[in-house]
Structure formats: structure tokens, C-alpha cells
Amino acid sequence: MPSLDSVVQIAARIFGMPVAAVNLIGDDHVFFAASTGFEGQRVDMRRDVSFCAHAIARNEVMVVPDASRDARFYDNPLVTGFAGVRFYAGVPLYSPGGLALGALCVIDSVPDFDFSDDDRARLADLAQMACDRLELRRLEHSTERARRPFEDDARTSPTAVVWFDESLRVMAWNKAAASIFGHVPADGPGRLVVDFLAERHRAAVGGLIAQAAAAGTADGLVVPDGLAGVRKDGLEFPLGVALFCWRDKGKLTFHAHLQDLSSHPGQSAELRRLSTTDLLTGLANRASLYRRMEEALAGSAGACLLLVDIDGFKDVNDTLGHGVGDGVLREAAQRLVECVPSLATVARTGGDEFAVLIPGCTSHRESMAAARSIVDSLAEPISVNVHEIRITASCGLAAAPGDAQEALELFSNADLALFKAKSYGRGQVFAYAATLRMEATARRLYSIELHRAVSEGEFVLFYQPQIRLSDGSLRGAEALIRWQHPQRGLLSPAAFLPALENGPLASVVGFWVLDEACAQAAHWRRCGATDFRIGVNLFGAQFRVNDMAAEVAATLQRHGLPPHALELEVTENIVLDDDDLVLGVLEKIKGMGVGIAFDDFGTGYASLSLLKKYPVTRLKIDRSFVQSTPESERDTAVVRAILDMARSFDLETVAEGVETEMQRDYLKDCGCQEGQGYLFSRPVSSYEFSESFRLRTENRMGKLA
């Protein structure tokens, strides 16, 4: 069972033992559910030989300091033979119903007389984690079986199960579920599932189901304690509920395991433990974290919250597979636990996101030290199977009571700090400041106002010329969006683009820009600029709606613009977000004859590899390299390298941010074909561009002085 691998690995590491295992007990033999340290060894797995068969007979941790001196084991083949066992510590594993399943053990080939009470407690905690994983596997198996037609085997299952839909209508329940409430199976279908609860609990459970339906998952939801079911005769009884859901063919189906707790009160705690633990890493889940935050902030000592996000984790899953990705997450979780104080709560809050709550830590200075320790620890190589993987992590932090007074506010502020940290690149740490909340408020206001801007036509395009460096002639222009805000005046993209490109209007505005720019380019070409080319920036959202290639073809046809007169600009982020999707679309577009420019080239992480794969026709050298050319030897070397690569790949080049004649002359001498920047013109309105253009079109494409 892969989900138990992390348990045995943690056990071996914590106790410094060469061998750890989860053993399941059969009638005649013992079976490994997970193990580490037995690789390549022949192990006698007979039940009458196994130490674990003795461990499950005890309701406590069984420790054998030196098996060669123990009357029970001194002549055991595992002690006298190839395995050479001398030390053993094992703790039994039980199902929620009290059935002995097996044992978690750690083993060494040398005696150990120092296994303390604290060590016993830690091993018992790990055993409970293993029990949770085993129960989860049973529940998962039950859920998978439940996806088959209900009649297959659910009617005779001893587990009480009820299926219902988003409207709370019972679709089916088995005989065990019906009998809990004193009904027969035919009484259930069509009724509201909450009708079988005490009236005082119906609203809360209905709200919980609505919350799960809105999220599309029951993960992280905590079923309230103390639920009461109502039997057919009206009598109430304590009811345990474990809630699951899945989506099949677009329809959400809920699946609840029910237990009558009047005779098994301990099972409520077991269900609660399953609902508060992240099943992959064994850490606290988001719901448990919130409760710990509320507890910490209710006191006077305060706390700090660190949110940690693994940078580019999607690449690990995509290239090495989800199995390796899960291994990375488990190792990251263990390193987080080892990095922080023992009183801290470490939780997994999402796919590759973690949180650390440190009670009593209220200063940014102390929090930053903890955050940097975490980031440094995660930067160390991680070995999973045969792979050595290096990751980086970003961290945002906030402290209470200085940054927040309650749990949701603390989490939100730490999340804002994480967002800021990631904006600076990988492996960064940032602490919350009040200005981050103001920036977020501004983004939210802009998001609201963007809908009005689209409907009222407040967006306009400006155009910045692109000049042939060899003779100063106008080759084309880049279309740049501006917002003519009714109160704030003309806004540059920096003010609103983050809200726009991450919001629902990105594709709408993106296709408007494409249409408007092509219309303007067609007009200028009809005025005599027959070789004019227009550059248009794309949003990532445009690749995920409609048929991007068809939209481009229709726009060209609508305005009578030849394909070679259009150049679409993409950034590395767009390419990496939806690699296969974007590649296919760009290949279709290039096949039409439309140019593809790689914008901000040289500033990303994978630009070189992308050149080999993507149908690029032009590189745009980022202004950050151009501005210090030729004074900076390093920037000059980068520019020369980009130009050499472009020639090798038979690509054209445009240098952005050209501001001085010295820069222009150097770029021209190095073989850069075109330039764009304030030396030639700032971005200007279509009217201003037209005026300048008409003055310089006496010979079709005139020169700019």
C-alpha cells in the first residue's frame, strides 16, 4: 500500500532504525503492507515465527531490547538466521471496530535498551496514522464499489450506506442503513436524507451538503459532533456520519457511511480523526488548522501563520508522474515537521500548499527566521524511488495580533503575503504589510469596474512603432491596451492587467484587442503602408475558450488582412500553463502564415528548451537586457547570445526598450533586425500614430528621423 510508505519511512528515520514495516496478519503468514530496509533480504513470513503475531496479542507497544536474551525469541529463526533480529518494537493495528489487523514495527540488528516511554508514544502515534490509512483504503474501496450499480453488492453489505444527490433526495440505501432507522429498504428512495435526522440538526447538515456541492468535494468538511438520528418510531439515537462525494458524467453524487453509536461510542472519535487528517501526508488538514488557529487566537499569546507553496510542482507531476509527486509531498511534509517547534501545527491545505501555525510567535523577525529555515530545508535534494528532485518553495507569513485578530483574517493576510512572495520569483519569503490589503482591495475594485469598462467601451489601444535598425524604416507596431477610466483618467496596463488577465473577462478583452488591432492595421495598409505588420499580445485564457485558431482566421478574413501582417506575442507563462494545448493551437496559427513572437525572451526559466519545441518566428529581447547595453558586459553578453541563438534557429529579432542612439547602433552592429522603444516613439494613440505615419509615407514606408 503506497499510502503506508511514508509511515514506515518516518518510523525508520525517527528511531534511527534500519528496518521498519507495517505487517498484516493472515491465517498462516504475515504480509508486508509497507516496509523499508528489507530490500534484497529473504524473510521468514510464517505467522508462528513473526514477532508481530505476538505484538497483536498485546494492547500496548511491545519492546524486545535484545531478542537473543528473550525466552520467547532466543531460538526464533529471525534471530538465529539470516535476518539477525536483535531489537524489536511493535504496536498493534486495529480497525475502528476493534479487529486486530497487524502491527507497525521497527527492527535493528543490534540491541537497544534505551527505547523510552516517549519513543513508545511516538511509535503509537505512527501506528494510529497507519490505522487511519488502512481505514481510508477500506473506505476508498467501498466507495469504488459503490460506483457500480447499487444492486451489485451494496444491499447485503454490513456497512450502512446511503446514496443521495445534491437536492438531498435519497437515491438508494442498503438494508443495513434502513435497519438503523427502523425502516425497510423501500422506505428510503425519494425522501430527503435530512428527514432521518433530529430536526435541530437538519439545517446544519443541509448547509454542509450545500457547501460540499458548491466546492464539488467533501474534502476538508467536518461533520458536526453529536448528531442524532430519528428512528421510525420517533426515538432519537447518536449517529456517526462519514461523508464522501464524486462527480460522474457531470452529476454530483453523495455517499454517506452511517453508524449507530449508541453501542459503539468510540467510533465517533475515529470518524472525527479521519475527517481532520490529510490522508496523503498524515498532517492536519485545512479544517483542523482553522480550529487550531481559532484556539491560538482566543488566547493572549498570539501566533504566526506561515503559508508555503511549492514552486512549479505541476512540472514534477507532469514529467515524473503523480506517484513521484506524492512522494515529494510526503517528504516535504516531514521536513516541515522537523523544521518547526514541537508545539507548531503543520497542515496540508491544498495540492502543493502547506501551512505552519506557531503559537506564541508574534514578531515578523522570528517568523521570517522560521520561514527561511523551511525554504532552505525544502531546497535540499529529495530522493523518491530512483529520482533526485530539487524543488523551491515560496512562503508568506502573518502574525497575530499585530496583523490580524481572528483566524480567517490571519489566513487571508498570510495568503496575500504568499501572493507577493511568488510575484518576486521562486524561493522567496514575504511578510504581510497593510499595503498588501490595499493592493488587494484595489484589484477587487478593478475587477468589479472591468465589467463596466467592457460594456461601456472604455478600453483603447495605443501603438508603439517597431523600426528596422538598418535604415530606420517603419516595419510595424505593437498594439498596447490602455484603460480610459472615467474618474482616474488614462491607466497603463500595470494598474489593471493583473486583475484582468486572471479574471473572467480576459478572453473577451483579448479577442477585442485582436479584432481592433487587425482593423487598424488593415486601415493603415490601405493608406499605403503595404508591408505594415501589427503585433498583438495574447492572454492565456484565449487558448482555453472557443477555437483560438478559428478566431484568428475569422478576424483576418473579416478585415481583409493577410496572415503575414499579424504577429501574435506569447510569454513563457502562457506556454507553460497549458503546454500541449498551447502548442497545438500555435502550430495551427503558424500554419496559416501568422507570425509567433516570444515576448520578454531571456527572463524565464525554460526559454531555451521552448525554442526547440514551439513554432516561434521572432524573439523579442527584453528591455531589462537592452537598457544597460553596451555599458554592462553581462547584459551585452546576454544580448549577443540571444542574437546568436536567433540566427541559429533562423528567427528574426526585435529589441525592446531602445532609448539611446548608442543602444541602437550597438544592436544594429550585432545583427538585431528591429528595435522598439522611446528613442523612436512612446506608445501613442491611433490618431497620433496616423499623423506621424502620413508624414513619413511619401515612399510607402518612410524613415523616422
Side-chain angles (χ1 to χ4, degrees):
M1 291 179 58
S3 63
L4 291 173
D5 287 345
S6 61
V7 177
V8 297
Q9 290 164 5
I10 291 171
R13 187 180 300 124
I14 287 178
F15 301 107
M17 299 286 173
V19 174
V22 171
N23 296 322
L24 300 184
I25 306 296
D27 290 338
D28 301 311
H29 286 78
V30 175
F31 306 90
F32 285 142
S35 66
T36 181
F38 278 125
E39 294 80 10
Q41 295 190 31
R42 293 171 297 164
V43 181
D44 192 335
M45 302 297 287
R46 289 174 295 164
R47 177 168 178 159
D48 59 350
V49 171
S50 171
F51 282 52
C52 290
H54 291 265
I56 64 170
R58 306 165 62 97
N59 193 24
E60 59 183 1
V61 179
M62 185 182 87
V63 178
V64 182
D66 186 350
S68 67
R69 300 182 182 182
D70 192 295
R72 296 167 296 178
F73 304 109
Y74 74 95
D75 59 350
N76 187 297
L78 293 176
V79 178
T80 61
F82 178 80
V85 174
R86 294 291 295 276
F87 173 82
Y88 173 93
V91 57
L93 306 177
Y94 294 102
S95 72
L99 177 67
L101 303 174
L104 167 67
C105 64
V106 290
I107 299 172
D108 205 344
S109 57
V110 296
D112 185 350
F113 294 92
D114 297 321
F115 202 80
S116 66
D117 290 341
D118 287 342
D119 291 331
R120 293 169 185 256
R122 284 197 290 269
L123 187 61
D125 288 341
L126 287 172
Q128 186 56 63
M129 183 188 300
C131 289
D132 290 345
R133 301 288 174 87
L134 288 167
E135 176 61 5
L136 173 67
R137 183 69 189 94
R138 186 188 70 80
L139 293 175
E140 288 176 339
H141 181 66
S142 175
T143 299
E144 288 299 321
R145 294 178 66 189
R147 294 179 187 229
R148 306 179 218 155
F150 180 75
E151 290 75 15
D152 282 359
D153 50 15
R155 293 192 185 281
T156 58
S157 171
T159 301
V161 185
V162 57
W163 283 257
F164 58 96
D165 59 22
E166 294 182 65
S167 65
L168 303 180
R169 294 284 175 187
V170 174
M171 300 162 60
W173 64 358
N174 62 5
K175 185 177 180 180
S179 64
I180 283 180
F181 298 97
H183 287 273
V184 296
D187 293 343
R191 294 186 60 178
L192 293 177
V193 70
V194 292
D195 288 347
F196 299 100
L197 300 175
E199 188 171 352
R200 62 185 178 278
H201 296 149
R202 293 174 185 175
V205 172
L208 193 72
I209 301 302
Q211 185 179 348
T217 176
D219 292 347
L221 295 183
V222 180
V223 178
D225 291 332
L227 287 182
V230 179
R231 303 191 201 278
K232 189 175 182 179
D233 59 9
L235 294 178
E236 295 185 3
F237 67 98
L239 180 67
V241 178
L243 185 64
F244 306 87
C245 69
W246 69 85
R247 190 174 296 277
D248 185 20
K249 298 180 181 178
K251 184 178 180 181
L252 200 64
T253 299
F254 288 88
H255 164 200
H257 284 203
L258 309 177
Q259 291 178 312
D260 181 352
L261 299 179
S262 56
S263 58
H264 301 286
Q267 292 180 353
S268 178
E270 184 64 26
L271 289 169
R272 185 163 55 252
R273 181 164 47 250
L274 285 173
S275 69
T276 58
T277 303
D278 174 63
L279 303 173
L280 175 66
T281 63
L283 300 177
N285 62 15
R286 182 185 288 261
S288 180
L289 172 69
Y290 274 134
R291 286 197 294 276
R292 303 280 180 86
M293 291 167 62
E294 289 169 350
E295 293 168 1
L297 270 62
S300 59
C304 72
L305 179 68
L306 286 64
L307 296 185
V308 181
D309 182 86
I310 297 178
D311 302 316
F313 181 72
K314 180 177 180 293
D315 294 340
V316 176
N317 277 337
D318 289 347
T319 58
L320 300 178
H322 288 272
V324 174
D326 288 348
V328 170
L329 292 176
R330 287 191 289 265
E331 176 61 22
Q334 179 60 28
R335 293 189 185 185
L336 286 172
V337 171
E338 294 171 351
C339 276
V340 300
S342 58
L343 293 178
T345 295
V346 182
R348 182 176 175 224
T349 58
D352 59 353
E353 298 173 354
F354 298 87
V356 178
L357 178 70
I358 307 178
C361 176
T362 59
S363 73
H364 281 180
R365 182 176 180 180
E366 186 178 354
S367 304
M368 288 288 283
R372 294 195 183 282
S373 175
I374 288 172
V375 170
D376 290 344
S377 175
L378 294 178
E380 293 295 320
I382 293 176
S383 296
V384 179
N385 299 335
V386 297
H387 303 285
E388 182 175 276
I389 302 156
R390 291 183 179 271
I391 61 173
T392 59
S394 300
C395 182
L397 62 93
D403 296 330
Q405 300 296 319
E406 56 93 27
L408 287 177
E409 183 185 14
L410 183 64
F411 193 95
S412 175
N413 290 347
D415 197 40
L416 288 174
L418 175 61
F419 180 81
K420 190 69 172 181
K422 292 179 75 68
S423 72
Y424 285 111
R426 303 189 176 203
Q428 301 299 311
V429 177
F430 203 88
Y432 173 78
T435 54
L436 297 182
R437 177 62 59 188
M438 292 188 292
E439 291 174 6
T441 301
R443 285 196 301 270
R444 186 169 63 254
L445 289 174
Y446 276 141
S447 296
I448 296 171
E449 291 184 323
L450 284 172
H451 288 272
R452 186 205 67 230
V454 171
S455 62
E456 298 296 326
E458 295 174 6
F459 290 116
V460 296
L461 292 185
F462 275 38
Y463 301 88
Q464 189 171 35
Q466 295 172 333
I467 306 302
R468 180 186 288 146
L469 297 180
S470 61
D471 60 7
S473 63
L474 180 67
R475 296 294 300 128
E478 180 181 2
L480 300 166
I481 192 170
R482 300 289 187 268
W483 184 0
Q484 188 64 57
H485 195 284
Q487 284 82 41
R488 300 180 181 88
L490 189 67
L491 300 179
S492 70
F496 63 88
L497 210 54
L500 176 60
E501 63 187 357
N502 294 315
L505 296 173
S507 62
V508 175
V509 175
F511 286 121
W512 172 83
V513 171
L514 176 65
D515 186 76
E516 181 74 9
C518 286
Q520 186 64 69
H523 170 72
W524 282 331
R525 288 173 69 90
R526 288 193 297 269
C527 289
T530 54
D531 294 329
F532 188 84
R533 180 191 69 241
I534 191 71
V536 177
N537 295 278
L538 297 179
F539 291 122
Q542 290 174 263
F543 290 88
R544 298 188 290 272
V545 299
N546 304 328
D547 184 334
M548 177 70 177
E551 290 279 355
V552 171
T555 302
L556 293 173
Q557 184 177 14
R558 184 163 55 249
H559 300 294
L561 194 67
H564 65 266
L566 173 64
E567 184 171 83
L568 300 178
E569 300 187 10
V570 295
T571 62
E572 182 179 300
N573 287 338
I574 290 176
V575 170
L576 293 179
D577 283 345
D578 290 289
D579 192 359
D580 293 336
L581 171 65
V582 174
L583 176 59
V585 173
L586 292 181
E587 286 176 339
K588 288 182 181 179
I589 292 174
K590 186 185 178 185
M592 301 176 192
V594 174
I596 307 294
F598 206 159
D599 200 10
D600 302 331
F601 186 79
T603 61
Y605 294 97
S607 297
L608 298 181
S609 62
L610 293 179
L611 280 184
K612 296 168 55 179
K613 184 176 181 181
Y614 279 82
V616 179
T617 57
R618 187 185 307 275
L619 300 182
K620 300 195 73 176
I621 304 173
D622 189 70
R623 67 181 66 249
S624 62
F625 302 121
V626 173
Q627 287 177 344
S628 298
T629 302
E631 294 89 352
S632 168
E633 292 185 4
R634 291 189 175 184
D635 286 341
T636 300
V638 171
V639 170
R640 283 200 305 267
I642 293 174
L643 292 171
D644 287 342
M645 280 189 294
R647 281 190 289 270
S648 299
F649 282 92
D650 195 25
L651 303 176
E652 297 182 346
T653 49
V654 176
E656 298 181 294
V658 180
E659 297 182 357
T660 68
E661 293 181 357
M662 184 182 297
Q663 292 169 353
R664 178 196 63 191
D665 294 342
Y666 178 79
L667 291 164
K668 180 176 65 175
D669 292 342
C670 287
C672 182
Q673 289 102 343
E674 298 178 14
Q676 176 181 342
Y678 284 6
L679 175 65
F680 311 113
S681 172
R682 294 174 178 270
V684 295
S685 67
S686 59
Y687 173 79
E688 294 174 285
F689 196 98
S690 296
E691 287 296 303
S692 298
F693 181 69
R694 284 197 298 271
L695 291 173
R696 294 165 175 80
T697 56
E698 297 166 359
N699 295 315
R700 289 195 174 183
M701 298 294 283
K703 293 183 179 181
L704 290 179

